[in-house]
Amino acid sequence: MDIRLGNGFDVHAFGPGDHVTLCGVDIPHAQGLVGHSDADVAMHTVTDAIYGALAAGDIGRHFPPSDPQWKGAASDVFLKHAVALASEQGFEINNIDCTLICEFPKIGPHAQAMREKMAEIIGMALSRISVKATTSERLGFTGRGEGIACIATAALVRS
Ligand SMILES: Nc1ccn([C@@H]2O[C@H](COP(=O)(O)O)[C@@H](O)[C@H]2O)c(=O)n1
Ligand SMILES: C[C@@]1(CO)OP(=O)(O)OP(=O)(O)OC[C@H]1O
């Protein structure tokens, strides 16, 4: 059994808007997130964790922020690409664990919908996808409410 672990980390700043998109789920909020794409910080982080497990570089290598093609793109495009790359190499995604770091919005009420959306996009069992959250106790840029940070781990297996 060939087991690979990858990690991901991403940050997006708050800006004008009335919702944030996290794991493909629109969550009402007093601000949006700024990015070249739809700024789905959680989906970018999970995508990077999968690329990491494959030693396949990072999201910006595959989808350069300088490429106008990805302006406003829905981030499932990036995640689907990473999953396809894993599949081409004979890997299945065993499980994913994703932690959002922000004071607001509260993630708990939306975590199940976020898990369901990712399970659907990746084509894996809901029980293998974890989405959770923490504040940073009002410390640092997330604590000041300047943006959302996310970390994720992906485990890939090939028999
Ligand atoms: N954006 C967030 C942040 C936290 N939660 C939930 O609150 C719990 C307590 O957070 P602490 O940072 O004070 O440990 C945390 O375990 C989450 O359940 C949340 O839903 N959304
Ligand atoms: C997703 C991409 C796509 O242009 O743009 P952003 O939405 O700015 O997101 P970021 O996490 O900064 O990363 C890299 C880019 O690949």
Side-chain angles (χ1 to χ4, degrees):
M1 178 92 68
D2 187 355
I3 301 173
R4 308 286 177 91
L5 295 182
N7 66 64
F9 173 74
D10 195 17
V11 174
H12 280 267
F14 284 122
D18 60 7
H19 71 279
V20 297
T21 302
L22 298 173
C23 297
V25 174
D26 288 345
I27 299 173
H29 189 55
Q31 291 179 294
L33 288 171
V34 178
H36 182 236
S37 66
D38 65 0
D40 189 331
V41 62
M43 212 176 279
H44 296 177
T45 305
V46 169
T47 301
D48 252 354
I50 296 170
Y51 285 139
L54 297 169
D58 54 42
I59 191 169
R61 185 184 121 191
H62 296 281
F63 302 96
S66 53
D67 186 342
Q69 191 180 168
W70 311 119
K71 189 161 174 49
S75 293
D76 61 337
V77 174
F78 315 135
L79 181 57
K80 283 174 183 162
H81 178 266
V83 172
L85 209 58
S87 176
E88 280 165 24
Q89 296 182 30
F91 284 102
E92 276 183 39
I93 297 166
N94 186 70
N95 68 293
I96 285 166
D97 185 18
C98 174
T99 302
L100 285 139
I101 304 152
C102 55
E103 304 295 322
F104 296 104
K106 290 302 173 197
I107 301 301
H110 308 282
Q112 181 69 5
M114 291 163 67
R115 292 176 63 217
E116 285 170 4
K117 190 74 180 176
M118 295 248 287
E120 180 194 322
I121 291 166
I122 298 173
M124 65 188 288
L126 186 63
S127 60
R128 291 174 182 267
I129 301 190
S130 151
V131 172
K132 56 197 200 297
T134 186
T135 68
S136 54
E137 300 292 344
R138 299 189 190 168
L139 298 172
F141 65 90
T142 53
R144 291 189 295 271
E146 294 170 5
I148 301 181
C150 188
I151 57 171
T153 302
L156 274 52
V157 289
R158 176 166 69 180
S159 43

